[in-house]
């Protein structure tokens, strides 16, 4: 298989999978249910939808500020406006080609702020590692807040505590054996992987050595609080989800986060994942689907509109560079 064909498949397959999920979701509901979902979407309170979008924009601005905290120790101070535009362009690119936004963002930083590509890309990789750690912490919080509900749900699915513990134990042992094997292996790929993991660890630990580590930590917490906030306010657009607690919404938030990483921008899968999680708490599939679609449409429109504007503005505002 040629490299060009492989690249094409990497672009086409996630999109095709997302389209299939939209088709599947459409056919899995009756005409009456689809009508109710569309009704909820059309009548979603513009105030809450707009507030969700505003919170999303604030998270991007906060990410742009935090980005400079990682670049400044290396002697670079990009303009905040440029950072925001690059981040929005990156999110737009990721809708078409997964993870292409990170490369485009680092390339734009090199073009307009003269930051070497490898250094800019290194800070972006560090960002992703920190984001992964934050998501893991949110999963732990959600598990602690909803332990009884999750155990009851697993029991209904035929998965008891002993089975879940066994799966967890096997996973931990497998991870330990993999690390042990990696440390002893002298093969070329193992050496590269060890260096890569070492670099990631150094990047994460460098946060605690930077001059502005507390502002960095504050913005990290703010970014994820904003992510949860933009999800939280959407509950007021669907009558059945208004009374959901923070713990219940966190479970749906996590399901949506994994869906976003599986397909291009969560197309098709996001509403299904969110609806499935909300179903644990007795929310009907119609209300759950409506919630998921309203959230996905609002945030996707934000990325498309502001990303497209940023794509035009960035070169215009940097004509001399």
């Amino acid at each position: 298989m040629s490299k060009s064909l492989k690249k094409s498949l990497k672009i086409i397959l996630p999109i095709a999978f997302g389209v299939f999920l939209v088709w599947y979701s459409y056919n899995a509901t009756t005409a009456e249910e689809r009508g109710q979902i569309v009704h909820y979407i059309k009548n979603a309170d513009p105030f809450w939808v707009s507030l969700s979008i505003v919170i999303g924009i604030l998270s991007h601005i906060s990410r742009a500020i935090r980005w400079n905290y990682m670049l400044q120790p290396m002697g670079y101070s990009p303009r905040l406006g440029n950072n925001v535009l690059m981040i929005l362009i990156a999110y737009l690119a990721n809708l078409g080609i997964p993870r292409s936004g990170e490369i485009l963002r680092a390339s734009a930083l090199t073009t307009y702020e003269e930051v070497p590509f490898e250094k800019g890309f290194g800070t972006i990789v560090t960002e992703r590692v920190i984001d992964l750690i934050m998501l893991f912490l949110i999963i732990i919080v959600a598990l602690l807040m909803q332990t009884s509900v999750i155990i009851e749900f697993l029991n209904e699915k035929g998965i008891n505590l002993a089975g879940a513990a066994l799966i967890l134990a096997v996973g931990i042992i497998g991870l330990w054996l993999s690390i042990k094997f990696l440390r002893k292996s002298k093969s070329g790929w193992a050496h590269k992987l060890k260096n890569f993991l070492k670099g990631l660890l150094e990047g994460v630990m460098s946060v605690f050595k930077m001059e502005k580590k507390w502002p960095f930590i504050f913005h990290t917490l703010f970014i994820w609080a904003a992510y949860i906030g933009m999800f939280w306010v959407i509950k007021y657009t669907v009558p059945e989800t208004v009374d959901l607690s923070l713990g219940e919404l966190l479970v749906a938030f996590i399901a949506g986060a994994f869906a976003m990483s599986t397909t291009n921008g969560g197309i098709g899968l996001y509403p299904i994942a969110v609806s499935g999680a909300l179903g644990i708490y007795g929310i009907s599939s119609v209300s759950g689907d409506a919630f998921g679609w309203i959230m996905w449409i609002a945030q996707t429109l934000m990325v498309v509109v502001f990303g497209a504007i940023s794509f035009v503005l960035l070169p215009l505002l940097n004509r001399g560079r």
Side-chain angles (χ1 to χ4, degrees), residues 138-155:
I138 290 171
I139 291 172
I140 292 174
V141 171
L143 287 173
L144 292 174
M145 294 178 73
Q146 298 294 304
T147 303
S148 59
V149 176
I150 292 171
I151 291 173
E152 183 181 344
F153 174 75
L154 291 175
N155 286 333

Side-chain angles (χ1 to χ4, degrees), residues 86-232:
M86 290 174 199
I87 288 169
L88 289 169
I89 290 172
Y91 279 109
L92 176 63
N94 282 336
L95 288 180
I97 306 174
R99 299 293 158 246
S100 64
E102 281 72 17
I103 297 171
L104 183 60
R105 184 174 155 193
S107 299
L109 188 67
T110 301
T111 302
Y112 298 113
E113 295 291 350
E114 299 181 354
V115 177
F117 178 86
E118 63 277 7
K119 292 185 178 181
F121 190 71
T123 60
I124 295 168
V125 171
T126 301
E127 266 193 11
R128 292 305 178 210
V129 173
I130 292 168
D131 286 340
L132 189 63
I133 292 170
M134 289 300 298
L135 179 59
F136 180 70
L137 292 175
I138 290 171
I139 291 172
I140 292 174
V141 171
L143 287 173
L144 292 174
M145 294 178 73
Q146 298 294 304
T147 303
S148 59
V149 176
I150 292 171
I151 291 173
E152 183 181 344
F153 174 75
L154 291 175
N155 286 333
E156 287 177 0
K157 298 296 180 181
I159 304 172
N160 54 33
L161 260 182
L166 179 61
I167 293 170
L168 181 62
V170 170
I172 292 172
I173 292 170
L175 180 62
W176 177 75
L177 290 174
S178 299
I179 294 171
K180 193 173 182 180
F181 171 78
L182 187 63
R183 283 180 174 175
K184 291 185 177 181
S185 177
K186 296 181 179 180
S187 64
W189 68 267
H191 181 69
K192 289 180 180 178
L193 183 57
K194 281 189 282 189
N195 286 338
F196 176 72
L197 293 175
K198 184 180 178 182
L200 289 183
L201 182 61
E202 287 176 355
V204 174
M205 296 308 295
S206 67
V207 171
F208 299 97
K209 299 176 183 178
M210 66 173 59
E211 185 180 346
K212 297 181 179 179
K213 63 181 178 182
W214 293 116
F216 182 93
I217 292 170
F218 166 78
H219 279 284
T220 298
L221 295 175
F222 177 83
I223 289 165
W224 281 88
Y227 287 166
I228 295 170
M230 58 202 280
F231 192 86
W232 166 273

Side-chain angles (χ1 to χ4, degrees), residues 39-55 230 233-234 236-238 294 298-299:
H39 171 77
Y40 281 134
I41 295 172
K42 285 184 176 179
N43 291 277
D45 191 331
F47 170 77
W48 296 113
V49 175
S50 300
L51 181 59
S52 178
I53 292 173
V54 169
I55 295 172
M230 58 202 280
V233 298
I234 292 296
Y236 296 108
T237 63
V238 181
I294 292 168
Q299 298 309 314

